[in-house]
Amino acid sequence: KQEGRNTYRLFRAEMHRQDHHWLELETALRNTAETGEGLEVNYQPLFDRDSGILQGAEALLRWHHPAFGQVSPVDFIPLAERSGLILPLGARLMRLVAGQLRDWLAEGLAPPRVAVNLSARQFWQSDLVAQVRTLHADYGLPRGQVGFELTESILLDKQQQAIHTLEALREMDCRIAIDDFGTGYSSLSYLQDLPVTTLKIDRSFIQGLGESLGSAAIVAAVTGLAKELGLEVVAEGVETEAQREALARYHVNLIQGFLTGRPVTAEGFAERYLAAEIP
Ligand code: C2E
Ligand code: CA
Ligand code: CA
Ligand code: CA
């Protein structure tokens, strides 16, 4: 009993500290959303499996705080979503990405299409389509230079409205991927109505390739479905040669993961993947 009470008190104290921590983190994040300080974008390449040709990049937000150090997006993105700070942060990220693309184009480099992750709140902004149009215009980017990744749950929420927004984005040639595909528990019938371009198979299934028959079955099912619907398939989180070989058997042509390239800074990305052609 005694011990139980102590444990309880300890637990309370721990919770209290944690609440405090989250509050501090949120204040810091609010500050960062306002100033942009400590925010950086990393880019992870996406390749054609067969030819090794660069086919795209995913923009991933990084946050460095002077006191907290490097904070993982796994921690600060959910916080940003809960607090609504994802809107100013997301707007900042988009401008950082667009500015970077403009600079690369001005340097004569040929950056690939860049995919930006959108959370529900961002996707449901009534002026999202206008924002994306303005972004391309302001930075002088070719149509569809910036695309998006969304999770299934977002698209299933208000399907008719989602279709409208997606159609408008597709009219601008934006690529739209369903992220973490296969992890939702939804029926697949909705897919035929959604104007998306890409299914991005969740890392968990790629990691399970060669380990569990279930993962292989899911990869096979997703690729079969994508073929029928005319969608491209990306495997994310590819870490080993064995996984890449397995993906060849299922004719997955686009791969992203530590095997072919980790997320790197813009400078690193340009150096490694956008080297200017030698005349
Ligand atoms: P995600 O969209 O599924 O992004 C892929 C995550 O997997 C990234 O983690 C990436 O670094 C990691 N990854 C890539 N290849 C591999 C691999 O081969 N093995 C392993 N183990 N991991 C790999 P990161 O950058 O920590 O981002 C985590 C999540 O945070 C993202 O998952 C995304 O949901 C969210 N996120 C990151 N940046 C943004 C953003 O700008 N906006 C929004 N809304 N969410 C973001
Ligand atoms: Ca993603
Ligand atoms: Ca993903
Ligand atoms: Ca994920």
Side-chain angles (χ1 to χ4, degrees):
K1 272 248 155 75
Q2 185 66 36
E3 199 192 307
R5 208 149 45 222
N6 281 342
T7 310
Y8 175 71
R9 274 214 323 254
L10 214 82
F11 179 56
R12 289 290 308 168
E14 184 59 33
M15 280 208 357
H16 189 74
R17 252 206 312 285
Q18 291 211 348
D19 279 352
H20 190 61
H21 176 73
W22 282 114
L23 215 67
E24 266 183 322
L25 208 61
E26 186 178 324
T27 307
L29 193 61
R30 174 157 291 121
N31 214 41
T32 297
E34 271 165 29
T35 63
E37 240 165 272
L39 282 186
E40 193 181 28
V41 183
N42 275 7
Y43 297 85
Q44 186 176 28
L46 189 158
F47 293 100
D48 183 85
R49 183 186 43 75
D50 244 3
S51 64
I53 292 172
L54 183 70
Q55 288 292 346
E58 178 175 6
L60 294 159
L61 203 50
R62 295 291 175 262
W63 180 31
H64 182 86
H65 186 267
F68 303 128
Q70 197 71 32
V71 187
S72 167
V74 174
D75 290 323
F76 76 79
I77 294 290
L79 177 63
E81 285 168 347
R82 283 200 298 278
S83 58
L85 289 171
I86 193 69
L87 294 183
L89 276 175
R92 246 180 210 291
L93 171 97
M94 285 213 239
R95 286 197 299 275
L96 285 171
V97 168
Q100 187 61 65
L101 286 165
R102 177 196 54 198
D103 291 352
W104 281 335
L105 289 165
E107 288 166 39
L109 300 174
R113 293 169 181 251
V114 173
V116 164
N117 292 285
L118 285 187
S119 338
R121 282 201 203 218
Q122 293 174 278
F123 182 73
W124 293 118
Q125 289 173 100
S126 56
D127 65 341
L128 175 71
V129 172
Q131 277 183 43
V132 175
R133 193 174 291 122
T134 308
L135 192 79
H136 281 81
D138 286 356
Y139 290 85
L141 303 179
R143 291 163 62 85
Q145 182 76 56
V146 177
F148 301 98
E149 297 190 0
L150 313 148
T151 56
E152 285 167 89
S153 58
I154 299 177
L155 299 173
L156 287 171
D157 193 22
K158 290 171 255 178
Q159 238 199 89
Q160 277 315 314
Q161 228 172 304
I163 290 171
H164 277 303
T165 302
L166 292 176
E167 274 172 351
L169 293 172
R170 290 290 303 127
E171 269 163 34
M172 289 187 263
D173 278 346
C174 295
R175 262 173 160 175
I176 316 275
I178 303 186
D179 206 355
D180 306 337
F181 190 75
T183 57
Y185 298 92
S186 52
S187 91
L188 294 172
S189 59
Y190 76 96
L191 267 182
Q192 62 185 341
D193 300 319
L194 284 177
V196 299
T197 55
T198 310
L199 302 181
K200 203 164 178 181
I201 307 177
D202 190 63
R203 189 170 84 211
S204 56
F205 305 118
I206 307 305
Q207 240 123 56
L209 278 179
E211 284 170 22
S212 91
L213 288 174
S215 293
I218 286 168
V219 172
V222 171
T223 53
L225 181 74
K227 195 173 173 202
E228 292 300 317
L229 296 172
L231 302 173
E232 51 177 24
V233 177
V234 177
E236 72 169 9
V238 182
E239 291 182 350
T240 67
E241 202 53 61
Q243 288 163 0
R244 172 153 61 183
E245 278 162 24
L247 290 165
R249 286 199 292 280
Y250 299 110
H251 308 287
V252 175
N253 291 321
L254 296 168
I255 59 172
Q256 181 184 348
F258 292 171
L259 178 69
T260 49
R262 290 176 178 259
V264 288
T265 61
E267 295 72 43
F269 190 84
E271 224 172 77
R272 285 189 183 78
Y273 310 114
L274 304 179
E277 255 178 65
I278 300 153

